[in-house]
Amino acid sequence: MSEIGATAGGGVERQAATAEDGEVRTWFRDLLAEHGFDVRLDAIGNLFGIHEFTPGAPYVLLGSHLDSQPLAGRYDGAYGVLAGLHAASRIVARHRDAGTVPTHNLAVVDWFNEEGCRFKPSMMGSGVHTGKLVLGAALDTADPRGVTVREALARLELGAGASEIPALAAYAEIHIEQGPSMSEQGIAIGAVASTWCAHKYEVVVHGEQGHTGSMRMADRKDALLGAAHLVVAVNELVREFPIEALHTTVSELYVEPNSPVTIAREVRMLIDLRAETTAELERAFALLTERIGAIEEATRTRVEFVSSSVWGAGPFVERGVRLVEEASEALGFSHARVKTLAGHDATNVKDVVPTVLMFVPSEDGISHNEREHTTDTAMLAGLDVLTHVAARLADGALDRP
């Protein structure tokens, strides 16, 4: 899989609905078929492989995403998709050999555009599937070059489809941690008990275009200067909170006209605020808006918030967390309850169906980087635990309150 979109630094680049994303999705479609799964595509381009034991029964869904950030690592998302297929295949084989049938059917998914780097927002495929995003609006979303999701999917050999995906009984996702805690503590399996929340704001800093040489300094309305002050203000928000209680980033900048002898008239940027509670994020945003007035006055620019996207904090179902702990105990793997600071498709799905999220360690906590690495031993341990958990889910372990 990692040969598709391979980068010189040992990672991958497969941004959503690019040729590389299309190639890896086609590769995965063929792999699903080889393992006996019926392949389906929904209208936003989520790719499903389903195995029906009992007609009309709901499905236990396993998976993650195959798209990546630019110059990314091999493991983020992709591990969870492959592990989901192998776990489901093991369970199907066991029931076939034993002549038994589980309570629920099984399916595997590659969620479309989890990363959100080409098309915003992130977790788009699972957002549409869970009703958090409107299909038409998602399809009309354009990348920085003006290409819409609808157009990009149409260009792929494996784009959007019209399949109706059956009802779900439960969802399980395994992922690399993307942080250092498990690696530092020597934990093999993380049972994710809760997620942080995130507020992301698309912001435009408005200035006035002019000549970098001839325009007097006192007359300038430099949008890039205003943006620079705003970047610093976002970073300095963390000083108002306990250490590591708030994470802040400006992760994207587009400068217009981006010419070597022209003062910027406009800067578009993405502000990313994350914390454990909504109250903390609301306080951080209030502090930021207080400082914006001074930035506008000092730089003679205007700051406009044009859109936002949010996912909330909250727990994962307790019975699912215990399933991961019980499976880890049964298989002899060390484990601990952990939180996810990153967003995952599971954070969307957990709000509509019982959901289990589990982690394996990331070496040195590195992620969204070509040096991202998780050992074979860690990945295989995770696959064993996922198989155990998925088998329990297929037998209805989360069906009862």
Side-chain angles (χ1 to χ4, degrees):
M1 175 185 281
S2 298
E3 293 177 359
I4 301 172
T7 63
V12 297
E13 181 158 346
R14 299 191 296 251
Q15 295 187 53
T18 59
E20 293 80 10
D21 187 36
E23 185 179 352
V24 77
R25 285 157 59 85
T26 299
W27 177 89
F28 187 63
R29 174 199 62 190
D30 294 342
L31 193 64
L32 286 168
E34 288 173 14
H35 283 76
F37 288 80
D38 179 22
V39 177
R40 298 187 186 181
L41 276 164
D42 71 5
I44 193 61
N46 295 318
L47 173 62
F48 296 87
I50 70 169
H51 182 90
E52 186 178 73
F53 291 100
T54 303
Y59 282 74
V60 170
L61 181 64
L62 313 176
S64 191
H65 62 95
L66 296 177
D67 69 313
S68 83
Q69 291 286 333
L71 296 178
R74 299 178 174 186
Y75 302 87
D76 176 5
Y79 164 61
V81 176
L82 278 181
L85 171 56
H86 285 292
S89 296
R90 286 178 174 184
I91 296 166
V92 169
R94 289 175 187 174
H95 282 287
R96 181 183 61 239
D97 294 345
T100 55
V101 174
T103 303
H104 300 305
N105 297 317
L106 280 171
V108 184
V109 63
D110 164 33
W111 297 109
F112 174 71
N113 188 35
E114 191 275 350
E115 292 293 356
C117 50
R118 182 182 179 191
F119 302 104
K120 293 190 289 288
S122 58
M123 303 185 294
M124 181 177 283
S126 60
V128 170
H129 182 79
T130 56
K132 295 186 175 186
L133 296 175
V134 176
L135 172 62
L139 290 171
D140 290 338
T141 300
D143 70 8
R145 296 186 175 184
V147 179
T148 66
V149 170
R150 189 189 312 273
E151 292 166 339
L153 285 174
R155 294 173 186 174
L156 298 181
E157 179 182 346
L158 197 66
S163 296
E164 292 293 329
I165 304 306
L168 300 183
Y171 175 66
E173 180 172 344
I174 193 166
H175 207 281
I176 60 171
E177 185 191 16
Q178 298 183 283
S181 67
M182 292 174 61
S183 178
E184 290 174 349
Q185 298 175 50
I187 298 167
I189 302 294
V192 181
S194 63
T195 176
W196 273 27
C197 49
H199 290 187
K200 299 183 180 184
Y201 303 95
E202 188 172 2
V203 177
V204 179
V205 182
H206 298 278
E208 185 174 357
Q209 191 166 316
H211 195 292
T212 58
S214 60
M215 178 170 277
R216 292 186 301 186
M217 296 300 294
D219 294 335
R220 299 186 181 199
K221 300 176 181 179
D222 188 341
L224 186 55
L225 177 63
H229 280 263
L230 186 52
V231 169
V232 173
V234 169
N235 183 263
E236 289 182 343
L237 287 174
V238 299
R239 298 181 181 179
E240 307 296 329
F241 293 79
I243 294 173
E244 297 300 327
L246 176 72
H247 288 187
T248 70
T249 312
V250 172
S251 54
E252 191 175 31
L253 284 174
Y254 295 98
V255 181
E256 294 293 345
N258 208 30
S259 171
V261 290
T262 304
I263 297 164
R265 68 174 181 271
E266 176 183 290
V267 176
R268 288 185 173 267
M269 58 201 303
L270 189 75
I271 296 174
D272 186 322
L273 307 179
R274 305 190 188 215
E276 191 166 3
T277 69
T278 300
E280 289 170 306
L281 287 188
E282 290 175 348
R283 178 179 168 230
F285 184 71
L287 289 169
L288 181 62
T289 54
E290 287 176 6
R291 297 171 187 181
I292 285 174
I295 292 171
E296 291 175 318
E297 183 177 355
T299 62
R300 296 178 293 280
T301 58
R302 180 171 62 88
V303 177
E304 178 188 11
F305 285 77
V306 295
S307 68
S308 64
S309 62
V310 174
W311 71 76
F316 284 84
V317 60
E318 173 65 21
R319 289 167 295 138
V321 178
R322 291 201 302 268
L323 276 181
V324 177
E325 294 172 326
E326 292 165 4
S328 300
E329 288 285 344
L331 296 169
F333 296 119
S334 61
H335 60 89
R337 293 193 174 200
V338 297
K339 300 173 183 178
T340 177
L341 281 64
H344 303 287
D345 292 302
T347 61
N348 273 339
V349 182
K350 74 177 178 60
D351 294 334
V352 298
V353 69
T355 294
V356 178
L357 178 61
M358 63 195 83
F359 285 162
V360 293
S362 299
E363 286 195 352
D364 300 321
I366 295 170
S367 187
H368 287 186
N369 184 304
E370 291 170 299
R371 294 191 294 115
E372 177 183 277
H373 187 255
T374 293
T375 66
D376 289 353
T377 299
M379 287 192 290
L380 291 171
L383 172 57
D384 288 344
V385 173
L386 176 64
T387 304
H388 194 288
V389 168
R392 293 284 308 280
L393 295 176
D395 285 332
L398 295 187
D399 289 358
R400 295 169 298 280

